[in-house]
Structure formats: structure tokens, C-alpha cells
Amino acid sequence: SIFPSIYYRPINPNDLDRLEQIHRDLFPIKYESEFFRSVVNGIDIVSWAAVDRSRPEDHSDELIGFVTAKFVLAKESEIDDLIHYDSSKGEETLIYILTLGVVETYRNRGIAMSLISEVIKYASGLSLCRGVYLHVIAHNNAAILLYQRLMFRCVRRLHGFYLIKHQHFDAFLFVYFINGS
Ligand code: ACO
């Protein structure tokens, strides 16, 4: 509609079909149905949905964007060398962003920015969480500019990280450090 009103909420089981469909449309990688079930049921995964409440009733709660993420133990992560540890407080964690997407007609309005901000806000509220990190394919300029604008730091280029249709592509590893890491 002309005046969208975007809301952010957790992803729930009613989102299953739409979530799968958007992932199929947006990503060159195939995700298993097990992944989608874990997301909608919140099993080891945290997620946020964006919806446009100004759409007609039967679409006003339909996903137009999403972010999914999971917890990783900092010392078992691939960036354990970049984390500042304080063993007196307990086990440090990180949040790893699995997927982020906004449907095409809703792009360039700051929705992805808001979704990632939700993840950062959530992570910042966890005393043992040291950061948020993710991989992005090296030619995805839109996503790379978004992470740079949000003050993520590019810490690594991983050669041949992605295998898509028998072809290897590099990835960048981006990290947003929190709670003094
Ligand atoms: N070209 C250049 N910069 C862009 C673009 C673009 N097409 N899109 C976003 N940006 C950058 C800009 O810096 C922008 O800030 P500005 O508008 O003030 O200049 C900033 O990102 C924020 O843009 P948003 O409007 O918040 O981004 P949007 O809601 O359009 O979503 C996204 C961006 C998620 C990358 C979208 O294009 C998309 O869904 N793409 C397909 C799926 C994808 O690539 N997902 C990310 C993969 S990485 C991962 O999942 C971990």
C-alpha cells in the first residue's frame, strides 16, 4: 500500500509456508524443512518478522521480511580468537545470523536495518553475549553496505566458502562486538 506501517514481531508457526517461500525466492542455497520448523517453533533459534499492518486484513500479518539467528558458544566459534574472555562470569556466547531477507517491493525503506537492530538490541541485553556475527557472499553489495552502516566489522575473507551450483564463492565474515569485546 502507499502508506505501509511496518511492525516487528517474533516468527510463529503460522509463518511456516510464507517463510519457506521467501527463502526459496531470495537465496541460492536450499534450506531443509527441519530448519524452517526450528525457526517457527523457536527451537535453538531466535527470529523476528516484519509485517505491514496497512495491507488488507488477510495479508496484514504476512511476512515481508525476517531475520533468523542462533546461539553459538564463543570459545567454539570460528572467531574465538577475537573475543575477550572473563571466565569468572560464565560461558560467553555469540549470536550467529543465519538468514536475513526483505521481499523486493519493501526494500530500501530501512526494514533490514531495523531487523538487524532488533538482533543487536536483544544480544546487548544478554550479559554473556559478546557479539553478533554472520557470513555474506562477497558480491552481495546491498547486504555488505547494510552491515557496514550498522558498524559491523569485516574481520575475514573466506575463500570458496559457498558452493552454489558447483561453483565456489568467497564470503566475508562480519562481526558486531558488544559488551566490551
Ligand atoms: N544497494 C546499495 N546499498 C544498499 C542496497 C542496495 N540495493 N540495499 C540496502 N543497502 C544498504 C544501504 O546502505 C542502506 O542504507 P541507506 O538506505 O541509508 O543508503 C542500508 O543497506 C539499509 O537498507 P535497508 O532498507 O534496511 O535494506 P532492505 O530492507 O532493502 O534489505 C537486504 C536489504 C536484506 C540485503 C535485501 O536487499 C534482501 O533481502 N536481499 C536478498 C537477500 C539477501 O541478500 N540477504 C542478506 C544475505 S546475508 C545473510 O543472510 C546473513
Side-chain angles (χ1 to χ4, degrees):
S1 69
I2 306 169
F3 300 110
S5 57
I6 309 301
Y7 280 77
Y8 300 90
R9 60 163 176 78
I11 293 178
N12 67 56
N14 293 327
D15 296 318
L16 184 61
D17 291 347
R18 185 76 185 135
L19 186 74
E20 289 204 48
Q21 190 195 330
I22 309 179
H23 274 74
R24 265 200 309 276
D25 292 348
L26 297 191
F27 299 113
I29 295 166
K30 187 181 182 296
Y31 292 90
E32 302 301 325
S33 37
E34 179 66 26
F35 167 70
F36 298 109
R37 272 201 302 276
S38 302
V39 173
V40 301
N41 295 310
I43 300 167
D44 298 328
I45 290 191
V46 286
S47 65
W48 285 263
V51 299
D52 179 2
R53 295 265 189 255
S54 75
R55 295 175 79 191
E57 180 127 42
D58 50 335
H59 292 289
S60 65
D61 198 44
E62 185 178 284
L63 295 199
I64 52 123
F66 59 84
V67 61
T68 66
K70 67 172 182 180
F71 283 95
V72 175
L73 291 179
K75 68 174 186 213
E76 289 175 5
S77 77
E78 63 193 292
I79 53 164
D80 73 311
D81 55 318
L82 302 176
I83 305 303
H84 166 77
Y85 291 97
D86 178 359
S87 58
S88 65
K89 296 215 181 81
E91 187 87 280
E92 277 94 348
T93 64
L94 294 166
I95 288 186
Y96 178 68
I97 295 184
L98 294 158
T99 59
L100 164 75
V102 174
V103 303
E104 220 159 323
T105 47
Y106 282 91
R107 287 190 191 161
N108 300 310
R109 301 160 181 244
I111 294 172
M113 195 90 103
S114 298
L115 286 163
I116 298 293
S117 300
E118 291 290 330
V119 180
I120 291 173
K121 194 166 61 180
Y122 171 76
S124 305
L126 306 170
S127 63
L128 290 167
C129 189
R130 291 279 170 266
V132 177
Y133 73 109
L134 57 90
H135 294 104
V136 57
I137 201 160
H139 58 247
N140 190 343
N141 294 328
I144 288 164
L145 283 164
L146 162 74
Y147 299 130
Q148 287 172 338
R149 286 214 52 189
L150 283 164
M151 307 308 285
F152 278 74
R153 295 198 348 231
C154 183
V155 297
R156 236 161 253 163
R157 182 178 186 120
L158 302 164
H159 293 276
F161 180 83
Y162 290 107
L163 179 61
I164 298 163
K165 292 183 179 152
H166 310 290
Q167 236 195 305
H168 287 279
F169 297 90
D170 292 357
F172 291 120
L173 177 54
F174 276 91
V175 188
Y176 182 96
F177 293 101
I178 47 178
N179 298 323
S181 243

